[in-house]
Amino acid sequence: MAVVKELIRTEENQSISFGNYELPQKSKVSDFEFQGDIYKVKTFKEITKLERNGMFVYESVPGTAVFSLKQDGSSMSFNVEGTEDAQITVEMEADTEYDISIDGEEAGKMKTNLGGKLSFSAELGGDKAVYVEIKKC
């Protein structure tokens, strides 16, 4: 299993990767610039959290490593791994329905709350990352 040793980085495919679930205590990187936005990541074994321009983007409990996160106005996709199953919350458009798939399997439709938060569980702990795709219905 892999982690993002530098806590957050830009990938060649114009995405970002972040998170280190191996850390015993909280670590953070602030003021990371990517495509005109400023990102902040906080991560360790118990939680991983990402903010963009001071607004919530991603959180997992326990901590995870996220690879190749891409987001536009109607979808989000990323690979995620960790040592155990995780509860993941992401920020999407408020009061909107989304299709969620995990490793190509339909995980169902979910509607965001008025704050735009969408929460789901991912079975982690294997030897490879799990691919998550969230698309607006």
Side-chain angles (χ1 to χ4, degrees):
M1 299 206 328
V3 295
V4 181
K5 296 287 186 196
E6 58 272 71
L7 304 188
I8 188 168
R9 68 175 179 240
T10 303
E11 301 294 352
E12 289 181 16
N13 67 355
Q14 298 304 302
S15 65
I16 58 172
S17 296
F18 61 93
N20 185 338
Y21 54 81
E22 294 177 339
L23 296 173
Q25 55 192 340
K26 286 183 193 177
S27 294
K28 71 178 180 178
V29 171
S30 299
D31 302 325
F32 182 86
E33 190 172 344
F34 175 69
Q35 296 182 338
D37 293 313
I38 303 298
Y39 288 82
K40 176 180 180 180
V41 65
K42 296 178 191 175
T43 187
F44 77 124
K45 65 182 179 180
E46 293 179 21
I47 191 169
T48 295
K49 187 172 185 177
L50 180 71
E51 295 177 358
R52 179 180 57 243
N53 301 326
M55 302 295 288
F56 178 86
V57 175
Y58 172 98
E59 180 178 277
S60 70
V61 177
T64 54
V66 175
F67 302 94
S68 299
L69 177 101
K70 289 184 178 183
Q71 184 176 21
D72 61 27
S74 63
S75 67
M76 177 186 280
S77 64
F78 55 89
N79 290 292
V80 60
E81 65 179 52
T83 57
E84 58 188 284
D85 294 354
Q87 179 71 27
I88 297 171
T89 303
V90 296
E91 179 81 23
M92 302 298 285
E93 189 177 326
D95 199 29
T96 304
E97 192 170 57
Y98 291 89
D99 279 318
I100 301 172
S101 66
I102 300 175
D103 263 354
E105 298 287 325
E106 282 296 317
K109 294 181 189 303
M110 295 183 96
K111 189 172 185 177
T112 56
N113 63 22
L114 293 176
K117 292 197 173 31
L118 188 69
S119 294
F120 58 94
S121 295
E123 293 181 15
L124 306 177
D127 57 354
K128 70 177 187 72
V130 172
Y131 180 68
V132 176
E133 189 170 28
I134 303 165
K135 290 183 179 180
K136 193 178 200 177
C137 293

